[in-house]
Amino acid sequence: MRIVKEFAGLVDDEVELLKKTGRLGLEVADKMIENVIGTFELPYGVAVNFLVNNRDYLVPMVIEEPSVVAGASNAARWCREGGGVVSTATEQIMISQIQVVKVPSPHTAVIRILERKKEILDLANSTNDVLVKLGGGARDLEVRVLDSPVGKMLVVHLLVDVRDAMGANIVNTMAEAVAPIIEDASGGRVLLRIVSNLADRRLVKSWTRVPKDVIGGEEVVEGVVYAWALAAADPYRAATHNKGIMNGIIAVALATGQDTRALEAGAHAYAARRGRYEPLSTWEIDERGDLVGYLEVPIAVGVVGGSIKSNPLAKLSLKILGVRTARELAEVMGAVGLVQNLAALRALATEGIQRGHMKLHARQLALAAGARPEEVDAVVEEVVKSGRITLEKAQEVLDKIRSRR
Ligand code: MEV
């Protein structure tokens, strides 16, 4: 703190601001990462109207962007009218990769490694008695020969049922433990031993039907399908389409203490699995003229483990959600992604997102300009009316309101 203060020329008030922490105290934060000088807060909202697998959920969301919680809550209401969202997660299998280079006869090595599968799986499982007792553990091996830019190499995939953990640490430990057997069997040299964030054995599939009258009629339903079709035809749009899905998924991930980078990496890699970047969802019109949406995305999350245990709000979020397993959490997150996507597409295909968005943005600007809660609405109204939605304008309007008074 002293070094940062000197380096950046911080004044005492600014240092005090850094020291002021919330529910995640400085001492805990200091054990979570390195060189800690504070903690960082974001708005924590709760999305409503979610009916997933016939159960009601209140969905905690942590996000800086206006309109996301409102959008999710609105679209969840439309989906509820059609019976809610059906969401199913596959088994919670994580993949650990073990790279083997300088293999004299790669195809023979594949066989040699597979011949020792049981020994390898047993050794992997010996690193985690607790997981095995809970019914999880290393399940299978896959070995591939890759043509890399520096010649042939092997990659071994260790498939591990990680149960309720996110699992990266578990599978990394296993990969490191089994590396010597793989070197011995292949005659090559093991280099990388690390989880793959393309968690395509840990998928969530979510599905919903929205009655056409609930969402605004035939034209709106058609508009949503056209919006999706652009994403299906064009990666430039698909990136934004998927960003909207991740608005929902990542907000829940932050609230529940997940590794958000792993989720983003997995989702986008999955979106490109067929060699072209594609939307993670599809929307079509069913025989009744209703709108039907489907999302398929890898979601590797945990309800046990380090960062969740140490962050009191992450634990609280899981309690508000009422989920007990990683699988159920993933199923709800898939549903949130699909519903968030619907909110964005409907807005884009009708009035555009800027009207609602700008109003909420203006609220943030009003607060940033120093408006007190009772002044915010008046500032927002004038700022939006002016069409100049900037901090300067918010300041100008606030000054005007105060001087009038
Ligand atoms: C903004 O955060 C998300 C959207 O751009 C998503 C989309 O375009 O589908 C509205």
Side-chain angles (χ1 to χ4, degrees), residues 65 237 240-241 243-244 247 341 344-345 348 353:
E65 184 176 331
R237 172 58 205 156
T240 324
H241 178 104
K243 191 272 185 184
N247 272 348
N341 183 218
L345 297 190
L348 289 167
I353 61 159

Side-chain angles (χ1 to χ4, degrees), residues 89-92 163-164 204 301 325-332:
T90 58
E91 273 191 299
Q92 301 296 292
R163 300 270 123 170
D164 288 319
V204 176
V301 287
T325 62
R327 194 177 186 146
E328 189 182 357
L329 175 58
E331 287 171 348
V332 175

